[in-house]
Amino acid sequence: MPDVKPRDVQVASIAAADTTILRSRTWDRLKFEVEYSLQRGTTANSYLIQADKIALFDPPGESFTEIFLQELHQYVDLSQLDYVILGHVNPNRTITLDTLLELAPQVTLVCSKPGAVALRTAFSDRDLKIWVPRADETLDLGRGHQLQFIPIPTPRWPDGLCTYDPQSRILFTDKLFGAHVCGDEVFDENWKRLDEDRRFYYDCLHAAQSRQVEVALDKLSSFPAKFYAPGHGPIARYSLSRFTHDYQQWSQQQTNQDLTVALIYASAYGNTATLAQAIAKGITKAGVAVESINCEFTDPAEIQAAVEKCDGFIIGSPTLGGHMPTQVQTALGTVLSTATKTKLAGVFGSYGWSGEAVDEIESKLLDAGYRLGFESIRAKFKPTEVTLQQCKEAGTDFAQALKKSKKSRTPWQPVSNSQIDRTEQAVGRIAGSLCVLAAKRENVSSAMLASWVTQASFNPPGLTVAVAKDRTVESLTHTGDQFVLNILQEGRNVRRHFLKSFAPGEDRFAGLAVQEAENGCPVLSEALAYLECTVHNRMDCGDHWLVYAIVENGKVLQSTGMTAVHQRKSGSHY
């Protein structure tokens, strides 16, 4: 393993001398949440405006409390700090906030109305100074910094708040327009290199709340921003127009999907929300939209409307005092009285000492005659990386079941000998080597049977593999990931193993003779040969990703065998 740089705080002036960014940098993986799974580190961005009055935006989490406050003290006398503006209230950041309030008790906290409720709950023993700006109210810091506030509630962050500074034309976007990458670049001057990370960030955090994101984008469009200052990653300066267009396009793609899943949940400590995020990622990657509903902050009429409209629904709940919370009970009642019995259902949840809530929900749904799309998921305390992978796979299976059901209901059309049919038959005559792509990242591994494989370059030696977007292994084929391409031998039966269906979280290599390559990925002992590869780039190709990888190492295992070839009759399916 390469040496990982220690955590630090990078400080730089932005836009003007009186506006500063403090980037709390984590160079390795921060947490197990799906959004961090590319393992490129992240930055927790805080901002400081020093005008006639001084405002600090979004102090970081507790792992940075000491070094952040030390660095902050180099730039401002904490006794002179007037405001702390919070884009949302994160339980992980209350430790830093608590320490800051000890050093600067005069501070007024600025947040949305739901944020104020969360703060008073988190600091029940403190007499907090909180200001909740009403519509059109501004905060005058002097020298032209007349801050304007834009509430942007979403299911995941119902207390979301953006801030616009007309003096610097910086729009502080909190969870919007971010990326989980860590480096020295404060701005996005090399923005093309950020494309994959920005899309992954959106898919993980916002695809399941695209409707609310579209509303937020509409609100923010009236502000003539020159910079987007997000909570994570580089400040958007050079790609502002393109980045905005991307968010609009990605959100539109979600709202235009034919099928929708209502993902209804509540989360006491954030663990159930983390499970919901992973399930949503699995659903959306399979081409089905998600309507994410945090029932703690959603009107029952809105839940009813979503359930009536959706093609399937999934309910998630923590267990509190041996039961599901009242909000989940109410939402479940709405579902039972609204959803037709033909709609596919799912259940998940987290718990500390007992998990009765999941059992209660599952029992009521089954008794009512609903069919479950996956085995109910239960996570004790904080979900592990393996559990989150299981959630993603369950979400993908759920989406595929909905698509299959819709296809079976589509009226049969007689096949004609049209030009389209002839073209598909011609495309189907393209043959490819039959391989097994096997990948592993930390404790998560997966594999798939692949035949759309070809050598792509001599120097460096490279190849391309087409990976369907709803494949489980797709999440392990991002830039920088490593995999082994097992080239199969004609006449062997190992292909049959990978043609079968796997349950969410099931070991793809159980019962097979497997070795470990130098890059840590599985090598099938029955393979004709294998290649150790590192993903160099990906291209979006409709329902597939075209993955270009550099071959780092390889070996022929069976010197006399022939490569297995996949012959097809149609170009419309495998």
Side-chain angles (χ1 to χ4, degrees):
M1 289 288 291
D3 293 335
V4 176
K5 295 181 182 180
R7 296 182 177 188
D8 64 1
V9 178
Q10 177 192 23
V11 183
S13 293
I14 55 173
D18 56 5
T19 304
T20 304
I21 184 173
L22 297 94
R23 290 162 36 100
S24 298
R25 299 191 291 186
T26 302
W27 296 89
D28 58 350
R29 181 171 185 166
L30 184 64
K31 300 175 183 176
F32 279 128
E33 278 87 341
V34 174
E35 64 191 273
Y36 300 103
S37 60
L38 294 188
Q39 302 182 1
R40 294 172 187 163
T42 193
T43 65
N45 298 338
S46 306
Y47 301 92
L48 185 67
I49 300 176
Q50 294 173 282
D52 296 335
K53 293 184 178 180
I54 302 173
L56 173 69
F57 290 75
D58 298 313
E62 60 178 308
S63 60
F64 282 97
T65 299
E66 184 176 348
I67 62 173
F68 174 80
L69 292 177
Q70 286 176 352
E71 197 67 38
L72 179 64
H73 192 66
Q74 301 298 315
Y75 293 86
V76 63
D77 180 352
L78 295 182
S79 67
Q80 301 301 309
L81 183 62
D82 296 288
Y83 301 100
V84 171
I85 300 171
L86 300 172
H88 69 283
V89 178
N90 186 334
N92 177 53
R93 300 190 178 194
T94 55
I95 301 297
T96 305
L97 194 56
D98 188 48
T99 306
L100 180 61
L101 290 173
E102 290 287 345
L103 299 171
Q106 77 284 351
V107 159
T108 296
L109 303 175
V110 181
C111 60
S112 66
K113 189 173 182 179
V117 174
L119 283 172
R120 290 195 172 97
T121 301
F123 296 97
S124 56
D125 57 341
R126 274 188 180 274
D127 185 18
L128 298 175
K129 299 176 184 176
I130 299 176
W131 181 57
V132 176
R134 297 177 183 175
D136 298 326
E137 280 190 311
T138 61
L139 179 61
D140 189 359
L141 301 181
R143 307 181 198 174
H145 296 281
Q146 190 92 20
L147 303 186
Q148 300 168 257
F149 301 97
I150 313 99
I152 51 164
T154 61
R156 186 70 191 272
W157 299 283
D159 56 341
L161 183 72
C162 290
T163 305
Y164 179 67
D165 181 359
Q167 173 64 27
S168 60
R169 293 177 64 182
I170 295 175
L171 183 60
F172 299 91
T173 58
D174 191 42
K175 284 293 185 178
L176 296 174
F177 301 111
H180 286 309
V181 292
C182 189
D184 294 324
E185 296 175 344
V186 174
F187 295 98
D188 61 338
E189 50 263 46
N190 295 307
W191 58 271
K192 280 298 295 180
R193 294 201 315 229
L194 296 170
D195 278 353
E196 183 178 359
D197 297 289
R198 285 173 163 179
R199 178 62 190 266
F200 188 81
Y201 179 94
Y202 175 90
D203 286 345
C204 289
L205 297 187
H206 298 307
Q209 52 188 26
S210 58
R211 181 170 58 84
Q212 291 86 355
V213 170
E214 286 187 314
V215 172
L217 293 175
D218 187 56
K219 287 183 178 181
L220 300 180
S221 65
S222 61
F223 297 92
K226 289 179 64 177
F227 306 87
Y228 288 158
H232 303 283
I235 294 172
R237 175 182 181 181
Y238 300 98
S239 61
L240 206 70
S241 177
R242 160 71 184 274
F243 207 2
T244 304
H245 174 74
D246 284 344
Y247 260 60
Q248 292 168 337
Q249 185 178 48
W250 297 337
S251 297
Q252 195 63 50
Q253 286 172 355
Q254 293 301 317
T255 55
N256 286 344
Q257 297 287 11
D258 293 333
L259 297 169
T260 303
V261 173
L263 183 58
I264 305 164
Y265 70 93
S267 190
Y269 304 104
N271 295 330
T272 306
T274 298
L275 297 175
Q277 179 184 338
I279 292 171
K281 181 68 167 66
I283 295 171
T284 55
K285 72 179 283 186
V288 172
V290 174
E291 176 72 15
S292 186
I293 300 168
N294 186 336
C295 58
E296 295 179 82
F297 301 94
T298 307
D299 186 88
E302 188 176 340
I303 297 176
Q304 180 177 342
V307 172
E308 288 175 346
K309 184 183 72 172
C310 74
D311 300 280
F313 63 88
I314 302 173
I315 302 177
S317 176
T319 296
L320 302 177
H323 300 282
M324 61 183 117
T326 302
Q327 298 95 328
V328 179
Q329 291 182 23
T330 302
L332 178 60
T334 300
V335 169
L336 291 171
S337 63
T338 303
T340 60
K341 302 301 185 289
T342 56
K343 292 188 177 183
L344 198 62
V347 185
F348 69 97
S350 62
Y351 63 97
W353 307 108
S354 58
E356 292 91 345
V358 172
D359 296 331
E360 283 184 64
I361 298 170
E362 181 186 89
S363 177
K364 288 182 181 295
L365 291 176
L366 291 175
D367 288 346
Y370 293 99
R371 182 170 63 91
L372 299 183
F374 55 82
E375 186 175 336
S376 297
I377 297 172
R378 300 166 176 83
K380 189 171 184 179
F381 298 112
K382 194 171 184 66
T384 65
E385 185 179 24
V386 173
T387 302
L388 294 179
Q389 181 66 19
Q390 179 188 356
C391 288
K392 285 192 288 185
E393 293 180 24
T396 299
D397 286 355
F398 194 91
Q400 289 173 336
L402 289 180
K403 292 167 79 172
K404 185 177 180 181
S405 176
K406 181 186 178 184
K407 188 175 181 180
S408 68
R409 297 193 304 269
T410 303
W412 180 81
Q413 298 289 339
V415 177
S416 63
N417 187 25
S418 65
Q419 178 62 41
I420 294 176
D421 299 322
R422 294 196 297 271
T423 301
E424 288 181 355
Q425 291 171 15
V427 173
R429 295 305 186 267
I430 300 174
S433 303
L434 204 55
C435 306
V436 171
L437 188 157
K440 184 175 183 180
R441 187 195 292 146
E442 293 188 348
N443 297 320
V444 174
S445 63
S446 191
M448 76 168 203
L449 199 63
S451 62
W452 294 3
V453 180
T454 187
Q455 184 170 349
S457 58
F458 286 126
N459 186 21
L463 55 84
T464 58
V465 185
V467 181
K469 291 180 177 178
D470 60 358
R471 291 281 193 174
T472 298
V473 77
E474 178 275 331
S475 63
L476 303 178
T477 59
H478 286 270
T479 302
D481 282 333
Q482 296 179 316
F483 65 84
V484 162
L485 191 70
N486 293 275
I487 303 166
L488 300 187
Q489 182 176 351
E490 189 64 54
R492 298 294 178 93
N493 291 325
V494 67
R495 72 181 72 180
R496 294 181 182 176
H497 176 86
F498 291 97
L499 285 171
K500 69 180 183 180
S501 298
F502 293 92
E506 184 178 351
D507 182 4
R508 268 59 173 172
F509 305 98
L512 297 177
V514 175
Q515 309 166 38
E516 187 175 285
E518 290 183 14
N519 66 7
C521 298
V523 174
L524 300 177
S525 299
E526 286 193 35
L528 177 68
Y530 72 89
L531 302 171
E532 297 184 42
C533 307
T534 301
V535 179
H536 184 70
N537 208 341
R538 303 199 331 166
M539 184 169 72
D540 191 340
C541 298
D543 54 5
H544 282 67
W545 288 105
L546 186 65
V547 177
Y548 172 65
I550 304 298
V551 179
E552 310 284 358
N553 193 15
K555 184 178 181 181
V556 176
L557 300 178
Q558 313 290 339
S559 59
T560 59
M562 294 290 292
T563 302
V565 177
H566 184 211
Q567 304 282 358
R568 298 181 300 154
K569 293 184 177 180
S570 172
S572 63
H573 54 78
Y574 295 114

